């Protein structure tokens, strides 16, 4: 943030030789200097124009410094004031600090100290203004409201994002398919200072090596057959903004080296081009692969991995944060009910139960698709279990069986048989005919078993 305008400093002191000395030194430093010989004059000058800083002597014959300070702060509360004071009146200087002066310096002044103090004060003021501008541009708070998730794991993700998003740090998003990697990448850009600049996305898995490089870095006319004109690559398109490298785990080693060079030097050439181009691009990368394993097995460059994983963000699978399912389901229900103009209020307890029990191998995307389909199929004002796909129910059944069997492992068949018969009898009120029916054996068969197991 460069400012060409000279900073204006008002020196208030009744000692003309002191003013002169300050003026000489500070003009040399490139400041524009104004002078007032007493408090009254200073107040009048502040009323008339804006100063970046005021140097105020506390002991003056007409209207003393503190009084002037009070008036100045009334007129222009934001002007930083540096108090100059004799050693004897440090107490008064402290009074001045309480009244809003920025700092004080003890006379006789050391000119180096004065210069540093002025610079520090002006810098501080600049930071204060910049901070305010930044905050306004970011709408005060980081906004991840489009991302649903109250689970501890998601809150941890948000914490990392809130810290990393505004900076230019490279972010690596790791997570299974459908966990929301692209959604997060988008949110990071929206919560950064680059949000008014382009967000450019490229899927590194979708293109063959040559095409991918041409997409990333662009090409000159005639770089290869079919390159009929010059084309800007994604890096150039994203200049000043953010480039989202999706499915980065699927990139060839050759392309990886070129990406590494851009990350390290900020430089690249278009395919078939001689000129070295420079861009200012923030990188967000994502993959559903285990990059560490890819590195171990020699398919991914270690140095690139280190470069990318400055801020790693692990998106948990949906099954690891099932408590987020109801809110996500509601969110998608609202979205698709609106889109399809359906009046659907919510889910029946059975339907919600199915959603909660399922393991969601396709994560949030699968949940979203499931809800969209259910909304379209539903004829009721509640989504029922009947409109949910069968695999949700099957999965549920097999899970149930598994847990029953799991609980039985370690026991003998005879033992289990006995308990099953006893429980069934209990439920039928010791009606042997009914119990035999449920157990799928004849009445005589059951009686024989009872004898054999020593029940009767
Ligand atoms: N926490 C969330 N809140 C709301 N919507 C979400 C959330 N997570 C994912 N989604 C939605 O789920 C869908 C899939 O998300 P996204 O495309 O970002 O996943 P991905 O991790 O990039 O998947 P893939 O690896 O298959 O590319 C999108 O429609 C996205 O809006
Ligand atoms: Mg994706």
């Amino acid at each position: 943030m460069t400012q060409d305008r000279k900073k204006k400093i008002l020196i208030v002191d009744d000692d003309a030789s002191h003013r002169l000395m300050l003026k000489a030194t500070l003009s040399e430093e490139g400041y524009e200097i104004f002078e007032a010989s007493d408090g009254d004059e200073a107040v009048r000058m502040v009323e008339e124009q804006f100063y970046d800083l005021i140097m105020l002597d506390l002991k003056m014959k007409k209207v003393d410094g503190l009084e002037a300070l009070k008036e100045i702060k009334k007129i222009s509360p934001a002007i930083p004031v540096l108090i100059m004071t004799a050693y004897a009146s440090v107490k008064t200087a402290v009074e001045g600090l309480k009244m809003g002066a920025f700092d004080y310096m003890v006379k006789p002044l050391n000119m180096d100290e004065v210069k540093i103090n002025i610079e520090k004060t002006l810098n501080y003021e600049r930071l204060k203004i910049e901070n305010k501008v930044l905050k306004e541009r970011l709408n005060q708070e980081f906004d991840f409201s489009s991302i649903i998730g109250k689970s501890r794991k998601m809150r941890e993700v948000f914490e990392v994002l809130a810290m990393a998003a505004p900076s230019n740090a490279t972010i690596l998003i790791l997570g299974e398919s459908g966990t929301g990697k692209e959604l997060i990448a988008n949110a990071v850009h929206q919560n950064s200072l680059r949000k008014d600049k382009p967000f450019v996305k490229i899927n590194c898995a979708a293109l063959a090596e040559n095409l991918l490089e041409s997409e990333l870095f662009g090409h000159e006319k005639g770089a290869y057959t079919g390159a009929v004109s010059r084309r800007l690559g994604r890096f150039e398109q994203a200049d000043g903004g953010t480039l989202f490298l999706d499915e980065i785990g699927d990139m060839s080693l050759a392309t990886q080296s070129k990406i590494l060079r851009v990350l390290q030097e900020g430089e690249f050439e278009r395919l078939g081009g001689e000129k070295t181009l420079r861009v200012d691009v923030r990188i967000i990368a994502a993959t559903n692969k285990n990059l560490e394993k890819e590195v171990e097995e020699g398919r991914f460059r270690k140095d690139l991995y280190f470069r990318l994983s400055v801020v790693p963000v692990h998106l948990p699978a949906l099954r690891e944060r099932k408590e987020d399912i109801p809110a996500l389901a509601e969110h998608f229900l609202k979205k698709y009910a609106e889109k399809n103009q359906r009046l659907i209020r919510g889910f029946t307890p059975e339907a919600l139960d199915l959603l909660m029990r399922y393991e969601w191998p396709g994560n949030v995307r699968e949940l979203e698709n499931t809800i969209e389909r259910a909304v379209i199929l539903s004829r009721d004002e509640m989504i029922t279990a009947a409109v949910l796909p069968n695999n949700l129910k099957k999965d549920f059944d097999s899970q149930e069986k598994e847990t029953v069997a799991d609980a039985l492992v370690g026991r003998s068949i005879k033992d289990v048989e006995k308990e099953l018969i006893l429980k069934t009898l209990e439920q039928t009120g010791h009606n042997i005919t009914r119990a035999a029916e449920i157990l799928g054996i004849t009445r005589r068969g059951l009686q024989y078993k009872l004898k054999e197991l020593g029940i009767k």
Side-chain angles (χ1 to χ4, degrees), residues 146-149 154 175-184 244 246-247 288 315 321 328 331-332 335 364-365 368:
S146 61
I147 309 169
I148 311 282
M154 283 308 281
E176 288 179 15
S177 178
T179 45
K181 296 187 291 295
E182 186 165 349
L183 185 70
I184 296 280
F244 177 40
D246 202 3
E247 316 282 5
N288 52 24
L315 283 186
R321 48 175 166 121
L328 280 164
H331 170 75
F332 294 131
K335 175 173 167 185
V364 184
R365 177 177 297 114
E368 178 168 4

Side-chain angles (χ1 to χ4, degrees), residues 2 20 26 35 46 107 138 145 151 182 222 251 301 365 367 451:
T2 48
L20 197 66
L26 296 178
E35 299 171 61
V46 169
K107 285 179 171 180
L138 287 171
S145 57
S151 57
E182 186 165 349
M251 218 163 30
R301 290 186 66 127
R365 177 177 297 114
L367 175 63
K451 215 178 269 163

Side-chain angles (χ1 to χ4, degrees), residues 17 34 62-63 68 80 121 135 141 168 180 192 217 230 303 332 351 365 372 376 412-413 420 426 433:
S17 64
F34 299 80
K62 267 167 78 191
V63 186
T121 309
K135 276 204 180 133
E141 291 269 318
N168 280 327
S192 77
F217 307 110
R230 166 189 286 173
D303 42 9
F332 294 131
R365 177 177 297 114
E372 180 177 18
I376 292 166
S412 72
I413 290 180
L420 180 65
E426 208 180 285
T433 315

Side-chain angles (χ1 to χ4, degrees), residues 73-355:
K73 283 282 152 186
K74 265 192 221 156
I75 302 161
S76 184
I79 293 189
V81 178
L82 282 176
I83 290 174
M84 302 179 280
T85 181
Y87 179 69
S89 57
V90 164
K91 241 176 151 173
T92 338
V94 172
E95 231 5 67
L97 291 184
K98 283 189 193 152
M99 285 166 58
F102 187 83
D103 206 349
Y104 69 88
M105 294 176 284
V106 178
K107 285 179 171 180
L109 300 177
N110 168 325
M111 279 305 140
D112 285 333
E113 207 176 300
V114 169
K115 284 184 222 164
I116 291 170
N117 260 327
I118 289 178
E119 216 175 295
K120 214 171 67 186
T121 309
L122 291 174
N123 264 338
Y124 180 84
E125 286 303 305
R126 201 197 67 212
L127 275 183
K128 228 165 65 183
I129 293 165
E130 273 181 18
N131 224 336
K132 203 169 144 232
V133 173
L134 289 189
K135 276 204 180 133
E136 273 164 14
R137 280 184 60 185
L138 287 171
N139 285 331
Q140 305 284 4
E141 291 269 318
F142 301 114
D143 181 12
F144 293 118
S145 57
S146 61
I147 309 169
I148 311 282
K150 291 256 188 303
S151 57
R152 189 179 52 78
K153 288 195 167 170
M154 283 308 281
R155 286 203 312 264
E156 279 169 13
V157 167
F158 293 140
E159 243 168 64
V160 175
L161 291 179
M163 241 165 18
S167 71
N168 280 327
T170 301
I171 295 184
L172 177 63
I173 307 171
L174 302 160
E176 288 179 15
S177 178
T179 45
K181 296 187 291 295
E182 186 165 349
L183 185 70
I184 296 280
N186 235 305
V188 166
H189 175 74
Q190 288 309 324
N191 285 287
S192 77
L193 297 173
R194 297 170 177 254
K195 70 173 182 190
D196 300 322
K197 297 282 168 58
F199 176 78
V200 176
K201 183 203 146 162
I202 182 159
N203 185 334
C204 304
L207 300 166
E209 180 175 328
N210 278 341
L211 267 179
L212 176 61
E213 289 193 2
S214 160
E215 277 296 317
L216 284 170
F217 307 110
H219 61 241
E220 296 295 345
K221 185 175 173 176
Y224 52 86
T225 10
V228 285
S229 58
R230 166 189 286 173
R231 198 188 149 145
L232 299 190
R234 301 290 164 103
F235 271 101
E236 280 174 272
Q237 289 170 22
D239 198 10
T242 306
L243 179 62
F244 177 40
L245 301 172
D246 202 3
E247 316 282 5
I248 195 149
D250 295 272
M251 218 163 30
S252 76
L253 284 164
T255 313
Q256 288 173 30
S257 335
K258 294 194 178 171
I259 297 269
L260 181 66
R261 180 167 162 235
V262 194
L263 288 183
Q264 275 172 340
E265 334 277 348
E267 294 183 346
F268 63 95
E269 285 95 30
R270 296 193 195 108
L271 295 195
E274 306 272 289
K275 207 169 82 193
T276 298
L277 303 166
R278 298 196 65 87
V279 284
D280 163 30
V281 168
R282 187 215 197 146
I283 302 285
I284 302 177
T287 181
N288 52 24
K289 291 205 167 156
N290 179 342
L291 270 195
E292 272 172 34
K293 196 170 141 237
E294 296 297 299
V295 169
E296 261 167 41
E297 292 174 4
R299 283 189 297 267
F300 204 84
R301 290 186 66 127
K302 197 176 193 167
D303 42 9
L304 179 58
Y305 173 63
F306 284 138
R307 273 268 158 186
L308 290 173
S309 55
V310 179
V311 182
V313 175
H314 295 267
L315 283 186
L318 187 54
R319 66 183 164 281
E320 296 168 33
R321 48 175 166 121
K322 285 197 162 177
E323 64 264 48
D324 286 339
I325 291 176
L328 280 164
E330 286 292 337
H331 170 75
F332 294 131
L333 174 63
K334 234 177 111 189
K335 175 173 167 185
Y336 290 105
E338 223 159 80
K339 190 173 160 200
N340 295 288
Q341 300 184 315
R342 292 287 165 84
L343 282 172
I344 304 179
R345 284 195 298 118
F347 300 87
T348 64
E350 292 79 11
L352 198 60
D353 196 45
L354 284 181
L355 296 177

